[in-house]
Amino acid sequence: SIDLPIPAIENLSELIWDNPDRGIHGWNNPFNKEDPNSLLRIIITTANKVCNFHTGNLLIPSIAIKSNQIDENSVNEVIKSALALNIDVELDQSGYISPDKIIHSITEDSTKRILYKIFKQVIKNKSIIVSTEDKFEPEKFVLTDVPNLSESPWSFPTNSYIDILNQYLLVLLLRDGKNKPKSKNAESIELGNNGSSKYIDWSLFTPTINNQINSLVDNESIRNIYKIEQRTSFFNDNLISMTKSREATKLMNQKLEAHITGVQSYGFFAEVTNLMVEGLVHVSTLNDDWYEYRSRQSLLIGRKNKKTYKLGDQIEVKITKVDLLRNQIDLEIGHTELSETSHNESKTQKVETK
């Protein structure tokens, strides 16, 4: 879980509540006991993982959502940023720390939002797969195993094609599944029960139903669903960004508080605090000195005045340009020397005129 709340903008007010559907983002919002949707999300997530566990043990293919691991190079970038923010992280002997441990170590840190935004950039979207791979021996399965399972979503059919397909598979299982072998004297098995798989040694479905399942749950379906999920996710993210950009146009040329969230050779990114919107301060606008980029320290430093702009610094900025179509915002330092230079030039012109 990473805590990246949205700003208090009227057009985004509905987004303050959690979305019980998990989407394909690689992270969740932290649990909020005052939000009923937050509790509902935990219940739905658990139900989805139980579905994955059950269908996996019954060897029924389902559409699953699997979290991807963050690769080590990306984690190293996060570690470097944490050290630049002076966050105390305990590395192992090889100089590594797991993403979970980093997140837990910064829950009370004032700069955690900056690191969460960096995490957001390196966490990969979840994969959508055809899964029967998560199998546990029912008699050895304990509740603590649940977090290790992928999700086979089924409980939110109004919001996702995946849930519709998986719910259809469950209906097939409970309605058309063979709950006993051909022997007349054999006892029937409740196919919805936990642990029922260990008593089953026959085919649950007829060849016709098996063909139907395989035609619905295949790689082509996965590709189509993933494209839809990506487009939806992209649309939602851009809608939020565009709404924040529109609010930013109302604050142009005002001095605003911001925090530096990323540093590059061409400038640095800063998030305007009250809008939680990010913009770029290009190095060409820092006209008081020539600034060098130092990647290890995540900072820009002036050659003459040794002034620095470092990751996590609180600064004052002005919004100078907003491109609504590209969702790009240009910033300048609030007390930029540009105005002083222009003022000095105008004074010189007046003296020359006299």
Side-chain angles (χ1 to χ4, degrees):
S1 298
I2 56 176
D3 189 9
L4 284 171
I6 61 165
I9 297 175
E10 184 178 354
N11 290 337
L12 297 177
S13 59
E14 65 187 56
L15 298 181
I16 64 172
W17 306 111
D18 202 350
N19 183 354
D21 182 39
R22 85 272 111 208
I24 61 170
H25 286 311
W27 68 90
N28 292 317
N29 297 325
F31 175 66
N32 177 7
K33 65 181 180 180
E34 297 181 0
D35 180 2
N37 282 356
S38 190
L39 177 60
L40 187 60
R41 172 172 53 83
I42 292 174
I43 295 170
I44 288 175
T45 299
T46 305
N48 291 342
K49 290 183 177 184
V50 168
C51 179
N52 180 267
F53 164 73
H54 195 54
T55 56
N57 278 289
L58 290 173
L59 302 180
I60 301 172
S62 63
I63 298 182
I65 295 181
K66 186 175 185 177
S67 296
N68 295 312
Q69 295 294 321
I70 307 175
D71 63 80
E72 191 167 326
N73 289 334
S74 297
V75 176
N76 288 336
E77 287 299 311
V78 176
I79 293 171
K80 186 180 77 172
S81 299
L83 295 175
L85 290 166
N86 296 318
I87 295 174
D88 187 20
V89 292
E90 295 184 10
L91 306 180
D92 61 21
Q93 292 180 347
S94 62
Y96 184 79
I97 182 174
S98 71
D100 284 346
K101 286 185 178 179
I102 295 176
I103 290 173
H104 288 137
S105 68
I106 63 172
T107 50
E108 303 299 326
D109 197 282
S110 59
T111 59
K112 67 179 182 180
R113 181 174 174 83
I114 297 170
L115 209 59
Y116 284 157
K117 289 178 73 68
I118 296 169
F119 259 117
K120 182 179 175 180
Q121 294 168 6
V122 303
I123 295 176
K124 299 175 183 177
N125 279 348
K126 297 176 182 178
S127 297
I128 300 176
I129 59 173
V130 176
S131 178
T132 53
E133 63 187 36
D134 288 318
K135 301 182 188 68
F136 292 82
E137 295 180 45
E139 62 274 10
K140 296 181 180 179
F141 184 79
V142 292
L143 191 61
T144 52
D145 288 328
V146 170
N148 299 322
L149 291 171
S150 300
E151 293 183 49
S152 291
W154 63 276
S155 49
F156 214 111
T158 58
N159 209 40
S160 170
Y161 288 116
I162 301 175
D163 297 67
I164 293 172
L165 283 171
N166 283 337
Q167 195 168 104
Y168 181 67
L169 292 174
L170 292 175
V171 170
L172 285 178
L173 171 67
L174 299 175
R175 186 188 64 193
D176 301 324
K178 297 178 184 178
N179 61 357
K180 62 179 181 179
K182 292 181 179 180
S183 172
K184 293 182 179 179
N185 297 325
E187 291 186 11
S188 62
I189 303 296
E190 291 291 339
L191 298 179
N193 283 355
N194 180 29
S196 60
S197 60
K198 62 183 178 181
Y199 303 109
I200 297 171
D201 58 1
W202 59 88
S203 178
L204 290 174
F205 299 112
T206 64
T208 301
I209 293 179
N210 276 326
N211 290 335
Q212 184 182 359
I213 291 173
N214 291 330
S215 67
L216 289 171
V217 184
D218 60 6
N219 289 326
E220 184 62 30
S221 297
I222 296 297
R223 282 192 289 270
N224 291 334
I225 289 172
Y226 190 70
K227 286 178 183 177
I228 293 169
E229 291 274 356
Q230 277 193 312
R231 284 201 300 267
T232 304
S233 177
F234 181 76
F235 174 79
N236 287 336
D237 290 345
N238 275 276
L239 192 61
I240 293 170
S241 296
M242 187 174 291
T243 303
K244 291 197 287 188
S245 295
R246 286 185 182 278
E247 291 295 315
T249 59
K250 302 174 185 178
L251 300 177
M252 288 184 64
N253 297 315
Q254 298 181 28
K255 291 185 178 181
L256 304 165
E257 180 189 286
H259 287 84
I260 296 177
T261 55
V263 183
Q264 299 293 333
S265 58
Y266 51 83
F268 58 84
F269 294 92
E271 183 181 71
V272 178
T273 304
N274 59 340
L275 288 180
M276 297 180 185
V277 65
E278 210 170 44
L280 173 66
V281 178
H282 198 274
V283 71
S284 62
T285 65
L286 304 174
N287 53 14
D288 62 325
D289 202 345
W290 182 271
Y291 284 85
E292 295 179 349
Y293 173 52
R294 296 187 179 174
S295 60
R296 281 191 177 181
Q297 294 85 17
S298 293
L299 59 79
L300 292 174
I301 183 168
R303 284 185 179 179
K304 294 179 181 178
N305 58 25
K306 302 303 179 184
K307 186 176 181 178
T308 62
Y309 292 100
K310 184 180 178 182
L311 183 70
D313 282 355
Q314 182 176 328
I315 57 173
E316 198 174 65
V317 298
K318 295 190 300 182
I319 299 171
T320 58
K321 183 181 178 182
V322 178
D323 189 327
L324 292 174
L325 295 178
R326 296 181 179 177
N327 285 331
Q328 292 179 353
I329 295 176
D330 292 343
L331 304 174
E332 287 185 9
I333 295 299
H335 55 276
T336 178
E337 288 77 13
L338 180 63
S339 58
E340 294 178 8
T341 303
S342 301
H343 179 66
N344 290 335
E345 286 177 355
S346 63
K347 282 177 66 177
T348 302
Q349 288 174 354
K350 286 181 180 179
V351 170
E352 289 175 351
T353 303
K354 286 182 180 180

